[in-house]
């Protein structure tokens, strides 16, 4: 992300980097909104909605009231420098005062700062260099993403002689040092300007350092992204394995809960049957009412040995046993109902889907990450080798 006061040379830097005329530049043609300049197959412009579809991680920006109409993307086929790996975010020039922006520009830049990998702050020696809004945003960005901030004295060729340039730099640095947090870490402020063959300047141009910083950041981001991909892959695999193991455990627990409550239920009903039979022996007329004379006779025939045992027990005890059996059966049946608690488990379809996800992570994503890493290392070697040889 490039930010800074109005006319600091942000849009011109992007044009110089991609070596194409993409952005409207000029003191009068200020950038009013946010432009995402990215690399693609051919030159194309996208509206705000399409931009947010392309960059879903910039969603917090979309949520800022009134900003959507002021966001667009410029796709450009340039392959200069590291542009194929970079998306520049050009921001509106910052000026003091309340009525200048149709949206909350401070909030918009802060939300972008949370997502961008590098924040280039341009201070130009001529314009509103020490614009309060710029300093205020820089202070807040420093609290949130201090390690991503880089400061540059832009349009350094317009700063006059070396002593004037140093004076401007000192002035800016003094103001920046007033920001709590920034005074602790010493920072650098390279002087940069867009080389103009028609207007050669004797001023030392450190613009290559900006390119180098961008290149280093892209390399770091690629590495971080690939490492995050591997971590995410492992995280997802672990989560899927845990879910499948949990489901297996739940199935086991459900099975033992089912077996226990079925066993108790069956025992309860057996005791209930025993109680009914005992009641039948004690009061055969009740049995006769239920089974009829023939049924009662047949049943009592089978129960003759039990009746003999029961006869040897006093009637009082018989009634006590009967009551006990009834209570026991009720308790057993209630227990069986209470223990019949099953946890929800995955359906067969869901298990197959999870298993497929696990295999996809292990076989496709991980090997793809490995391949991408090798490819990335190869491009590094290609980039480094000529330098070493040179
Ligand atoms: N001499 C000189 N002029 C420059 C340089 N960079 C940009 N300019 C001129 O400064 C003017 C403003 O440049 P822009 O790139 O539009 O500045 P900006 O920061 O995008 O401005 P806003 O979008 O309004 O914030 C243009 O006329 C550029 O030609 C530079 O390095 N040296
Ligand atoms: Mg601009």
């Amino acid at each position: 992300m490039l930010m800074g006061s109005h006319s600091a040379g942000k849009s011109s830097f992007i044009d110089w980097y991609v070596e194409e005329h993409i952005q409207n530049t000029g003191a009068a043609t200020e950038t009013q909104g946010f432009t995402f300049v990215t690399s693609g197959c051919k030159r194309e412009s996208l509206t705000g909605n399409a931009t947010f579809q392309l960059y879903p991680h910039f969603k917090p920006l979309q949520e800022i009231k009134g900003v959507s109409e002021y966001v667009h993307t410029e796709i450009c086929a340039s392959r200069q420098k590291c542009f194929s790996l970079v998306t520049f975010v050009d921001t509106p020039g910052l000026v003091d005062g309340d009525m200048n922006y149709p949206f909350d520009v401070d909030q918009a830049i802060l939300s972008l700062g949370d997502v961008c990998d590098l924040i280039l702050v341009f201070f130009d020696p001529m314009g509103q260099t020490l614009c309060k809004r710029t300093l205020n945003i820089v202070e807040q960005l420093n609290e949130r993403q201090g390690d991503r901030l880089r400061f540059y004295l832009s349009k350094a060729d317009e700063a006059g002689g070396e002593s004037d340039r140093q004076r401007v730099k000192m002035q800016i640095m003094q103001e920046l040092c007033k920001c709590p947090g920034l005074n602790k870490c010493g920072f650098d402020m390279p002087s940069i300007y867009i080389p103009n063959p028609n207007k050669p300047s004797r001023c030392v141009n450190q613009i290559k350092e900006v390119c180098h910083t961008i290149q280093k950041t892209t390399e770091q981001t690629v590495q971080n992204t690939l490492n995050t991909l591997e971590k995410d892959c492992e995280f997802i695999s672990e989560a899927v394995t845990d879910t499948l193991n949990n489901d297996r455990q739940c199935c086991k627990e459900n099975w033992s809960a089912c077996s226990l409550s079925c066993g108790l239920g069956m025992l309860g009903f057996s005791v209930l049957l025993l109680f009914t039979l005992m009641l039948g022996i004690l009061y055969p007329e009740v049995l006769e009412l239920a089974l009829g004379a023939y049924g009662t006779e047949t049943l009592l025939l089978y129960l003759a040995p039990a009746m003999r045992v029961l006869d040897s027990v006093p009637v009082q005890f018989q009634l006590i046993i009967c009551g006990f059996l009834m209570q026991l059966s009720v308790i057993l049946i209630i227990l069986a109902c209470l223990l019949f608690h099953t946890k929800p488990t995955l359906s067969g379809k869901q298990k197959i889907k999870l298993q497929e996800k696990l295999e996809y992570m292990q076989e496709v994503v991980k090997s793809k990450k490995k391949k991408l890493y090798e490819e990335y290392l190869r491009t590094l070697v290609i980039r480094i080798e000529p330098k070493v040889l040179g």
Side-chain angles (χ1 to χ4, degrees):
M1 174 170 77
L2 292 101
M3 60 163 287
S5 29
H6 164 59
S7 200
K10 304 175 289 292
S11 307
S12 303
F13 175 82
I14 298 177
D15 282 0
W16 172 81
Y17 192 92
V18 300
E19 294 181 30
E20 254 180 60
H21 183 66
I22 306 280
Q23 290 292 76
N24 282 333
T25 56
T29 53
E30 63 199 70
T31 309
Q32 284 201 325
F34 295 90
T35 313
F36 291 69
V37 183
T38 194
S39 127
C41 302
K42 60 181 170 68
R43 184 79 183 86
E44 203 147 354
S45 300
L46 302 178
T47 59
N49 285 340
T51 302
F52 288 120
Q53 271 180 22
L54 193 65
Y55 302 104
H57 49 296
F58 284 112
K59 197 137 186 75
L61 178 69
Q62 192 180 12
E63 278 154 18
I64 293 169
K65 215 172 126 203
V67 87
S68 293
E69 300 152 46
Y70 292 90
V71 172
H72 64 275
T73 297
E74 297 297 339
I75 302 174
C76 142
S78 160
R79 292 284 176 272
Q80 296 303 327
K81 307 173 187 83
C82 288
F83 185 58
S84 46
L85 285 173
V86 179
T87 296
F88 285 112
V89 185
D90 195 5
T91 61
L94 298 171
V95 284
D96 284 334
D98 292 331
M99 298 300 287
N100 298 307
Y101 307 93
F103 47 82
D104 186 345
V105 70
D106 300 29
Q107 214 43 52
I109 292 183
L110 288 175
S111 80
L112 280 167
D114 288 338
V115 193
C116 292
D117 300 300
L118 192 61
I119 305 163
L120 309 177
V121 189
F122 282 17
F123 292 98
D124 83 299
M126 305 299 285
Q128 256 194 323
T129 300
L130 295 172
C131 153
K132 281 223 165 53
R133 195 186 288 278
T134 313
L135 293 173
N136 186 27
I137 297 177
V138 164
E139 186 178 339
Q140 292 184 62
L141 279 171
N142 185 53
E143 276 169 26
R144 294 154 75 136
Q145 317 290 352
D147 54 331
R148 301 179 189 175
L149 277 171
R150 301 288 184 279
F151 303 103
Y152 297 98
L153 180 74
S154 57
K155 293 162 81 167
D157 57 330
E158 285 192 351
E162 188 56 37
S163 58
D164 294 326
R165 216 172 0 262
Q166 286 309 325
R167 197 171 42 78
V168 174
K169 263 194 198 182
M170 284 303 294
Q171 210 183 340
I172 299 169
M173 280 186 173
Q174 263 171 12
E175 281 305 313
L176 283 174
C177 281
K178 285 183 191 161
C179 304
L182 268 171
N183 48 356
K184 282 179 224 131
C185 46
F187 55 85
D188 196 20
M189 186 178 283
S191 307
I192 60 166
Y193 59 92
I194 311 295
N196 185 352
N198 302 326
K199 224 173 101 186
S201 170
R202 282 166 57 198
C203 167
V204 178
N205 194 357
Q206 293 169 287
I207 202 159
K208 287 243 166 75
E209 278 185 28
V210 192
C211 302
H212 185 62
T213 308
I214 292 172
Q215 185 191 325
K216 267 176 68 183
T217 310
T218 56
E219 282 166 8
Q220 197 56 54
T221 307
V222 169
Q223 274 190 42
N224 291 347
T225 310
L226 288 174
N227 289 340
T228 312
L229 177 67
E230 180 154 24
K231 272 190 212 142
D232 287 352
C233 205
E234 271 159 23
F235 180 74
I236 293 171
S237 300
E238 254 172 54
V240 171
T241 316
D242 281 354
T243 311
L244 287 173
N245 285 344
N246 274 350
D247 186 63
R248 231 167 275 144
Q249 189 62 29
C250 282
C251 283
K252 253 191 210 169
E253 284 172 16
N254 284 353
W255 174 245
S256 42
C258 255
S259 327
L260 188 68
S261 70
C262 280
L264 283 174
M266 271 158 72
L267 199 69
F269 280 109
S270 311
V271 175
L272 190 68
L273 188 71
L274 210 66
F275 158 73
T276 320
L277 290 175
M278 217 171 143
L279 207 68
I281 293 168
L282 290 176
Y283 303 100
E285 56 274 17
V286 180
L287 211 61
E288 216 174 294
L289 241 129
L291 301 174
Y294 180 71
T296 313
E297 210 175 300
T298 321
L299 190 66
L300 289 180
L301 207 69
Y302 283 106
L303 292 177
M307 280 168 73
R308 245 173 275 130
V309 176
L310 215 59
D311 279 343
S312 62
V313 180
V315 180
Q316 231 175 351
F317 279 112
Q318 287 182 11
L319 285 174
I320 289 173
I321 294 172
C322 212
F324 172 73
L325 285 178
M326 191 195 74
Q327 283 178 11
L328 185 67
S329 70
V330 170
I331 289 171
L332 285 171
I333 290 169
I334 290 174
L335 259 179
C337 290
L338 287 179
L339 287 175
F340 194 76
H341 259 307
T342 50
K343 289 178 185 166
T345 53
L346 298 171
S347 67
K349 229 181 188 176
Q350 284 173 318
K351 274 190 233 175
I352 292 171
K353 264 194 178 167
L354 279 178
Q355 199 63 42
E356 278 172 2
K357 270 185 192 152
L358 190 65
E359 279 161 23
Y360 183 76
M361 286 293 142
Q362 301 291 355
E363 286 159 25
V364 183
V365 184
K366 268 197 172 171
S367 57
K368 177 103 186 171
K369 184 250 155 182
K370 216 174 139 211
K371 232 170 78 189
L372 284 172
Y373 209 88
E374 282 165 7
E375 214 171 287
Y376 163 69
L377 287 179
R378 255 200 313 277
T379 58
L380 268 192
V381 171
I382 292 168
R383 234 184 284 160
I384 290 164
E385 254 177 8
K387 278 190 207 159
V388 175
L389 291 173

